[in-house]
Amino acid sequence: MASQRKRRLSTTVALTLACVLVCAVAFAGAVFVLMPGTRDRSTPVVASGSPTPTRAKSSAPSPKPTLPDSTEEPLPGVDTPATPPPATPVANTGTYECPGYSGIQVPVAMLMNDTFSWGDDPPYKVGNGNGDINWRSDPYKKPSWYMWLHSLRWLGAGIEAGQRGDRKVLAHTMAIIHDWVQDNPYSWKGDVGAWEATMHRTNVLLCARQAVLTGMHVRTLPAQYAWLDKALIDHAQFMIVNFSGMSNHGTDESIALFGVGCTLKRPELKTLAVNRLTEAITTAIDTQGSTNEQSVGYAMFNYLLWGRATTALQRCGSNPGPVISQRRAALSEWLALATKSTGYLQQVGDAVAQKPTGAAGTPLDYVASLGKRGTKPSKRIAVYDAGYIFGRTGWGETRPFAQESTYSIRYGVARTLHGHDDHMSITYSSHGRDVLIDPGHSGYQLDKWQAWSKSAAAHNVMTIPSADMASVETQLVQASITPTAESYSLADSPAPGVTRKRDVLVLKDPDLIITLDRGQSVGPQRYETLWHLAPDQKVTVQSPTTAIAAKPGDKSKTYLLQIPYKQQPPKDGITVVQGQQDPVQGWYYPDIFHRESAPVVKFGRNGTSATILSAIVPANSTETVTYKTRTVGTMLFVDLTVGARKTTIRVLPDGRLTRIS
């Protein structure tokens, strides 16, 4: 092997690592493993016995070098399994099942040529064709590409071929794995990509071990592969000492650690893993079903992850206890409420466009089947303490499931983990399509696109682009739910000397949303209420108070109204931005590999204060939307007409919005 010849070059990953050791504290908790305050600070359990780690280990976990605003784990909807774990307990077989490779496999022909491929980048030859790999390869300067190379999950097709008895493919695949072990001796924590990949690689080693036994028709590991068990112990020890804490990454580590204990008959490893899982579940999923990820996509991932944890424990004779199933049941309903009428999950936080994965007999199965099977959620509106509001006009009782209107609103604690600066933001689907969208998930590359996609400017909020906005806590001041209207009041201070308030009114029949944004500052500022629309929408600005968005030839359209209230909209009060690169604005990510230009409608003001009353009104293409305002004392009344349907909204002096008729 060429371990002595290979030098640890200053790759993008290494350079980033050196930088973030200084600046990571500026954004504690930005990554799924970044929360040093939640790490296990107890004395680590050493994976004792034979084989032993190759070096002496620290007696306490070390702070992990991290990449701010990045992460290296399975992408919801991209790298996660599509099949939920069994709903009923599995038999105790005393084994740990290979969890698979989550779609990162490369074809056997490429593998045999030492060629790696991930995402939409061209395949790249990382070795010499004999399994001698340059593990410092980083041709595209992408942390994710580099981490998945070190995960070894791209070897899945070779492992499966070897398990079926193809000795040639098995030998080459095992040569690559052995090369990684030799070229990356314990401890590999100096290489953030290798570090991030540890739990994934552990599972690959376990799968490879099973393939050797099955493919060679033996019951004990042949002597030529003794290094494999030693590598597994090293990986177990690494996860013991460098535990990622109560996040989905830590949960994945605990499952992999349990797998090593089960496979190598090491009860102390199983016990530690079970203890960590028992502690983590109450942090990962709260009693209402919200996860600590601040992402709907990662909430779906957690639902599947904890199901896999339950199955792994049961299969190897450990009792998962009742809490995991209780929290997963709550999360199932949470995810159902977070599913849009279009059948897709809300793209809130780091989330790609994905449909929920159904689980028989659960609310998830109900929404995944568009109401055809499963259990209908017990409510249509939910306000969660973790900072989420999910609502809908119904579950398909009086109109088709896809014709219901659905929305989300964010508030709560400041951004962390996989969250965005999306407080007060609204997403909305109606008339069988997305009306107000979230920008989606731009991936883990530290660039201007990620900075934008996580920022307030990428969401449906009032922004203050002239101020230094920061991640802050947003209060839900009040919430009121009636059969045909829901109202919410939110408040925060997103920048020094600046306060922001938003009142939201969501109507049913006619389906529409009214918002009142108010900004106040000690000095002059620029205020902009942003409305992000789907990429297929073309916007026409008709006046300083009216814009209409529609997909050419579609049967529906959206009116975006800036209704005069306390301040008269200026002549340029409505502007539209799309596909702008400097500064970045007007884009949408259906997944981390694709970016589409999408229109953003801006309602703007300048001054020390701003009052922007907006109406987002979806309508049929043949319908006309009009409004009139009238003042009664200190109250404003807005009479809205959508086709033949009429409604009246009252605006109280404190900003509270109420439906009158």
Side-chain angles (χ1 to χ4, degrees):
M1 297 295 175
S3 60
Q4 298 304 316
R5 299 193 307 270
K6 296 174 184 175
R7 297 290 184 262
R8 294 181 178 269
L9 304 177
S10 296
T11 61
T12 297
V13 172
L15 288 171
T16 306
L17 171 60
C19 170
V20 300
L21 289 175
V22 177
C23 63
V25 293
F27 188 51
V31 188
F32 59 97
V33 288
L34 278 193
M35 304 170 66
T38 63
R39 289 188 185 280
D40 185 350
R41 293 297 184 184
S42 60
T43 301
V45 177
V46 177
S48 59
S50 179
T52 57
T54 55
R55 297 184 187 178
K57 310 303 186 294
S58 169
S59 61
S62 304
K64 180 177 179 181
T66 51
L67 301 176
D69 286 6
S70 75
T71 184
E72 307 302 339
E73 62 187 276
L75 300 173
V78 177
D79 296 327
T80 51
T83 305
T88 56
V90 299
N92 177 7
T93 62
T95 62
Y96 178 77
E97 184 177 60
C98 172
Y101 312 97
S102 301
I104 305 180
Q105 300 179 45
V106 301
V108 168
M110 287 174 56
L111 185 156
M112 295 295 285
N113 193 38
D114 295 347
T115 298
F116 172 64
S117 178
W118 182 80
D120 59 351
D121 292 308
Y124 185 82
K125 187 175 173 63
V126 293
N128 66 355
N130 296 314
D132 187 0
I133 307 299
N134 177 9
W135 296 106
R136 306 286 81 77
S137 298
D138 189 15
Y140 305 112
K141 308 303 179 186
K142 292 183 178 180
S144 293
W145 191 99
Y146 185 81
M147 191 283 300
W148 289 122
L149 172 69
H150 280 261
S151 77
L152 302 184
R153 279 179 22 180
W154 55 285
L155 303 178
I159 293 172
E160 291 171 344
Q163 191 160 18
R164 294 190 297 268
D166 191 324
R167 297 291 182 91
K168 181 179 179 180
V169 174
L170 179 63
H172 189 87
T173 302
M174 297 305 294
I176 294 175
I177 297 174
H178 193 205
D179 187 65
W180 190 95
V181 171
Q182 286 195 319
D183 289 358
N184 299 274
Y186 190 100
S187 163
W188 46 86
K189 65 182 179 182
D191 186 324
V192 68
W195 178 325
E196 294 280 6
T198 298
M199 62 182 181
H200 306 298
R201 191 170 52 251
T202 303
N203 276 312
V204 173
L205 297 182
L206 291 167
C207 295
R209 192 183 193 277
Q210 295 170 15
V212 168
L213 297 179
T214 303
M216 299 181 69
H217 306 290
V218 295
R219 293 187 177 183
T220 59
L221 197 65
Q224 77 226 53
Y225 293 118
W227 57 267
L228 185 55
D229 281 357
K230 183 175 182 299
L232 282 168
I233 289 295
D234 277 1
H235 278 66
Q237 182 63 27
F238 191 95
M239 292 185 291
I240 291 171
V241 176
N242 301 288
F243 180 45
S244 294
M246 307 307 164
S247 63
N248 68 74
H249 197 283
T251 301
D252 240 331
E253 289 173 353
S254 297
I255 297 172
L257 180 64
F258 183 87
V260 176
C262 177
T263 300
L264 300 185
K265 312 303 180 188
R266 300 289 292 270
E268 78 278 12
L269 300 183
K270 290 175 56 179
T271 298
L272 175 60
V274 172
N275 289 343
R276 284 181 171 178
L277 288 168
T278 300
E279 183 180 0
I281 182 61
T282 55
T283 299
I285 308 172
D286 68 20
T287 56
Q288 295 180 325
S290 300
T291 73
N292 62 341
E293 303 289 347
Q294 291 194 349
S295 159
V296 172
Y298 277 95
M300 186 72 249
F301 174 70
N302 265 270
Y303 182 82
L304 299 173
L305 180 65
W306 282 98
R308 184 160 66 83
T310 300
T311 299
L313 267 57
Q314 291 172 339
R315 184 172 279 115
C316 202
S318 294
N319 183 359
V323 178
I324 294 177
S325 62
Q326 292 167 358
R327 297 294 171 96
R328 288 186 76 233
L331 178 53
S332 172
E333 181 159 287
W334 189 99
L335 285 163
L337 283 155
T339 301
K340 300 182 290 187
S341 54
T342 60
Y344 284 80
L345 290 168
Q346 296 280 2
Q347 271 184 273
V348 173
D350 286 344
V352 301
Q354 69 177 117
K355 294 182 178 181
T357 302
T362 69
L364 265 178
D365 201 31
Y366 185 84
V367 295
S369 65
L370 302 182
K372 296 181 177 63
R373 61 177 183 274
T375 303
K376 183 175 70 174
S378 58
K379 51 180 125 13
R380 68 178 181 89
I381 312 290
V383 178
Y384 293 101
D385 295 341
Y388 297 88
I389 301 171
F390 297 125
R392 60 196 307 121
T393 51
W395 292 105
E397 298 96 338
T398 60
R399 52 172 130 166
F401 184 98
Q403 292 300 311
E404 300 284 7
S405 294
T406 49
Y407 65 92
S408 75
I409 304 173
R410 281 283 284 124
Y411 70 99
V413 299
R415 173 169 65 116
T416 186
L417 299 177
H418 290 288
H420 292 181
D421 286 323
D422 56 2
H423 289 183
M424 298 191 183
S425 185
I426 302 167
T427 65
Y428 190 44
S429 299
S430 187
H431 288 61
R433 61 180 177 85
D434 288 328
V435 177
L436 300 177
I437 66 169
D438 186 277
H441 185 12
S442 65
Y444 305 117
Q445 188 77 359
L446 299 177
D447 55 20
K448 67 178 183 179
W449 303 104
Q450 186 195 79
W452 171 79
S453 67
K454 288 179 177 290
S455 73
H459 298 85
N460 299 304
V461 298
M462 171 184 270
T463 63
I464 303 94
S466 56
D468 186 15
M469 295 184 68
S471 298
V472 297
E473 181 175 357
T474 301
Q475 298 291 329
L476 176 63
V477 179
Q478 72 84 27
S480 175
I481 299 171
T482 71
T484 61
E486 297 90 61
S487 68
Y488 309 98
S489 299
L490 306 105
D492 63 18
S493 179
V498 179
T499 60
R500 182 176 64 165
K501 296 180 180 179
R502 166 168 276 188
D503 277 82
V504 182
L505 180 66
V506 186
L507 300 193
K508 174 182 179 180
D509 297 326
D511 297 0
L512 56 90
I513 290 180
I514 307 288
T515 65
L516 177 60
D517 289 317
R518 286 147 294 160
Q520 187 76 37
S521 56
V522 295
Q525 299 286 358
R526 173 67 177 173
Y527 297 91
E528 293 179 345
T529 292
L530 308 181
W531 302 114
H532 292 256
L533 306 176
D536 60 5
Q537 297 293 293
K538 182 177 180 180
V539 180
T540 301
V541 177
Q542 292 191 334
S543 71
T545 64
T546 304
I548 299 177
K551 176 184 177 181
D554 202 6
K555 295 182 179 180
S556 63
K557 58 186 174 182
T558 301
Y559 280 77
L560 299 100
L561 307 176
Q562 183 176 196
I563 301 172
Y565 177 54
K566 294 190 175 181
Q567 293 177 331
Q568 188 68 27
K571 293 181 179 180
D572 61 349
I574 298 181
T575 57
V576 181
V577 177
Q578 181 167 354
Q580 181 175 284
Q581 296 200 29
D582 186 19
V584 176
Q585 186 57 284
W587 300 91
Y588 168 66
Y589 284 85
D591 55 61
I592 69 169
F593 306 117
H594 301 92
R595 180 174 64 241
E596 304 174 26
S597 67
V600 180
V601 177
K602 296 183 177 184
F603 295 168
R605 298 283 192 281
N606 293 311
T608 57
S609 65
T611 301
I612 301 177
L613 181 61
S614 307
I616 308 300
V617 188
N620 294 332
S621 58
T622 57
E623 292 180 318
T624 299
V625 175
T626 60
Y627 71 89
K628 294 181 180 179
T629 60
R630 49 193 170 90
T631 301
V632 179
T634 59
M635 299 178 293
L636 175 75
F637 290 83
V638 181
D639 300 312
L640 261 169
T641 302
V642 183
R645 295 163 295 172
K646 296 182 179 181
T647 187
T648 298
I649 293 93
R650 181 182 63 194
V651 184
L652 295 175
D654 64 358
R656 176 83 177 269
L657 304 174
T658 308
R659 180 176 192 169
I660 301 303
S661 64

